[in-house]
Amino acid sequence: QVQLVESGGGLVQPGGSLRLSCAASGSISSINAMAWYHQAPGKERELVARITSDGSTNYADSVKGRFTISRDNAKNTVYLQMNSLKPDDTAVYFCHAEVVLISRATFGFWGHGTQVTVSS
């Protein structure tokens, strides 16, 4: 059993900052990658940022230069530093982890989601 626990969401003014965190726990051998997705009203869920175990990162075009993803492998925790927030960043943000088992199989797990609201 694997659980992802998120924190850091809330309401912020345009131009402000938030830092999201997501900690994975349970029957984990290792984690290949962790990522943040979001889903805004009227939109499909989409990838925001992803980071692999060796530190390689990938960002959606809409957040490049504003958001930074980082990872603490020892704590199985991923962070999303969000700066220069815009109203269209408003969404539910979901944490995702690609978990490696001893059998070498890999499974994806989702967090519960946390609301980020950027007021205008």
Side-chain angles (χ1 to χ4, degrees):
Q1 185 179 3
V2 174
Q3 300 85 37
L4 303 180
V5 179
E6 301 163 331
S7 63
L11 190 151
V12 66
Q13 295 180 357
S17 298
L18 285 174
R19 190 192 192 201
L20 306 183
S21 64
C22 171
S25 62
S27 301
I28 298 170
S29 176
S30 63
I31 300 178
N32 277 347
M34 301 184 79
W36 290 96
Y37 291 72
H38 71 186
Q39 186 164 17
K43 302 290 185 179
E44 65 185 26
R45 187 176 299 185
E46 63 182 5
L47 179 68
V48 176
R50 181 175 181 268
I51 185 167
T52 63
S53 59
D54 67 356
S56 298
T57 57
N58 183 59
Y59 295 93
D61 288 341
S62 62
V63 307
K64 287 179 180 176
R66 300 189 298 120
F67 291 9
T68 302
I69 189 169
S70 61
R71 178 177 176 179
D72 185 334
N73 291 340
K75 296 180 179 179
N76 289 332
T77 299
V78 66
Y79 305 93
L80 186 67
Q81 179 66 48
M82 304 185 293
N83 297 326
S84 302
L85 282 161
K86 304 174 180 179
D88 59 5
D89 294 319
T90 295
V92 178
Y93 284 72
F94 297 91
C95 180
H96 183 267
E98 300 167 23
V99 177
V100 179
L101 307 180
I102 295 175
S103 66
R104 298 177 290 121
T106 301
F107 293 90
F109 294 89
W110 290 97
H112 64 279
T114 185
Q115 177 70 48
V116 172
T117 302
V118 184
S119 66
S120 61

